[in-house]
Amino acid sequence: MLLREDLEKREYELSDLAAKSRESRGRVHEEKPCELRTEFQRDRDRIIHSKAFRRLMHKTQVFLAPEGDHYRTRLTHTLEVAQVARTITRALNLNEDLTEAIALGHDLGHTPFGHNGEAILDKIHPGGFRHNEQSLRVVDILESSNKRQGMNLTFEVRDGILNHSGKNLPITLEGEVVRISDRIAYINHDIDDAIRSGVISLDDFPKEAISLFGERHSQRINSMVKNVIEFSDGKDHILMDDEHWNIMNLLRDFMFQNVYRSKDVKKEEDLIMLEKVITSLYTYYCENPGELPSDFQRNIETDGTAEVAKDFVASMTDRYAVTAYRRIFT
């Protein structure tokens, strides 16, 4: 039987650059160690068993309320990021448990209706809204139990969640792996969904991207992942070479122009409606804090009504937000 101490010893067979759970900067509130799991494994399990993680299955990735069964949601995006990140981490002999925990938690703070919902909250909430910061707020404060406030995750997992996007790099290579894996995953699965929907075809693609990455979904991911592994091996940062990085970002720009901002993907009337839904709900709960659920109300005294109203609206799934709007305003 393998106990926690055995697993911790095994971590010292990893790369010298790998994070070691025994050397973690720890938790805000000290806890008795688990007999079976390392600290990073405990964090992963807490994230998987959280309500916020379950809600990701009903949050938009790109396509709003798609009729097909095979379009990505925020949950399937998260799982694909975790898969890409674990492949890179394993090849570089880093700590898979830490990588997986960060990957599974990185989008817990995402709003309903994808980045459109995020943009609306950023516009109407004082201080703005950034999903990476909200993800950290979820694990630190909102996902509470009778025993504790928040999940009380390790410093390294919290840092990786916060810095998976934005200007600052994570402090661990595992966090950097998740950061680049997030981009690899969403560019490729959004291409896959957009082709399936008929919004774009391979004929529309930049020729340089097809030449470098290939035509198929699996070829593109394999090319990007392989380049990250080869170019990062032995280095103190996780990188692609300039050619792969530039062409991947060319693909990203192509997606913004032809998919993310396309009226074929997000019709004008749908965007108007979702802005009305989020704005109306946020305003309603700011003006009627007594209507907030009790587990949110308890944060009003310390954080203020607007912050808590933002927390509640951001936590909603797409369908819950629409249902709540109809219940209140129709």
Side-chain angles (χ1 to χ4, degrees), residues 64-318:
L64 298 171
E67 295 180 1
D69 290 336
H70 300 132
Y71 293 99
R72 270 71 171 192
T73 65
R74 189 59 58 182
L75 177 61
T76 55
H77 161 73
T78 294
L79 296 176
E80 291 186 40
V81 172
Q83 179 270 319
V84 170
R86 287 188 62 187
T87 298
I88 295 171
T89 300
R90 188 182 303 117
L92 294 176
N93 206 25
L94 300 174
N95 194 316
E96 280 190 62
D97 294 325
L98 174 57
T99 295
E100 187 175 27
I102 295 170
L104 293 176
H106 82 282
D107 269 356
L108 292 180
H110 245 296
T111 62
F113 312 118
H115 287 287
N116 294 97
E118 179 178 12
I120 295 165
L121 272 182
D122 184 49
K123 181 172 64 174
I124 64 177
H125 178 65
F129 181 93
R130 287 158 289 278
H131 78 271
N132 58 318
E133 295 175 1
Q134 188 68 15
S135 293
L136 185 63
R137 183 166 169 81
V138 168
V139 301
D140 279 355
I141 297 172
L142 302 181
E143 192 71 32
S144 300
S145 67
N146 293 330
K147 295 182 179 179
R148 64 173 184 264
Q149 183 182 50
M151 298 187 200
N152 195 32
L153 304 182
T154 58
F155 179 90
E156 292 76 14
V157 173
R158 295 174 60 252
D159 169 81
I161 289 172
L162 176 63
N163 294 311
H164 81 271
S165 64
K167 62 181 181 180
N168 297 322
L169 287 177
I171 62 166
T172 64
L173 287 185
E174 289 81 0
E176 289 193 31
V177 168
V178 174
R179 186 179 171 103
I180 201 168
S181 297
D182 185 30
R183 180 165 294 201
I184 291 172
Y186 78 68
I187 288 173
N188 284 291
H189 64 52
D190 291 349
I191 287 172
D192 193 39
D193 282 352
I195 290 174
R196 179 179 293 108
S197 72
V199 173
I200 59 173
S201 71
L202 276 176
D203 294 335
D204 303 317
F205 269 50
K207 302 304 180 185
E208 308 97 311
I210 292 178
S211 176
L212 183 63
F213 297 134
E215 295 185 353
R216 299 198 312 274
H217 179 69
S218 59
Q219 288 176 325
R220 289 192 298 271
I221 292 180
N222 184 69
S223 176
M224 293 178 189
V225 168
K226 185 178 178 183
N227 186 260
V228 171
I229 293 167
E230 291 175 345
F231 201 68
S232 303
D233 190 25
K235 294 187 175 71
D236 56 3
H237 287 293
I238 304 300
L239 306 161
M240 281 181 169
D241 66 28
D242 288 343
E243 181 185 20
H244 283 73
W245 180 253
N246 291 335
I247 299 300
M248 183 176 73
N249 285 321
L250 178 68
L251 264 183
R252 182 175 181 268
D253 293 341
F254 167 82
M255 291 296 289
F256 268 98
Q257 182 176 351
N258 295 279
V259 178
Y260 301 144
R261 298 182 182 133
S262 170
K263 293 182 179 179
D264 293 328
V265 175
K266 295 166 183 175
K267 297 180 173 58
E268 188 66 27
E269 58 268 29
D270 291 334
L271 294 175
I272 292 171
M273 183 59 189
L274 72 86
E275 181 162 8
K276 187 175 182 180
V277 167
I278 290 181
T279 302
S280 298
L281 289 172
Y282 174 79
T283 303
Y284 176 80
Y285 288 113
C286 283
E287 296 174 350
N288 301 274
E291 296 298 312
L292 288 162
S294 59
D295 54 339
F296 284 87
Q297 285 189 39
R298 64 189 176 192
N299 295 322
I300 291 177
E301 184 176 349
T302 55
D303 299 331
T305 301
E307 184 74 5
V308 177
K310 175 265 297 179
D311 289 339
F312 184 45
V313 174
S315 75
M316 294 177 178
T317 62
D318 296 18

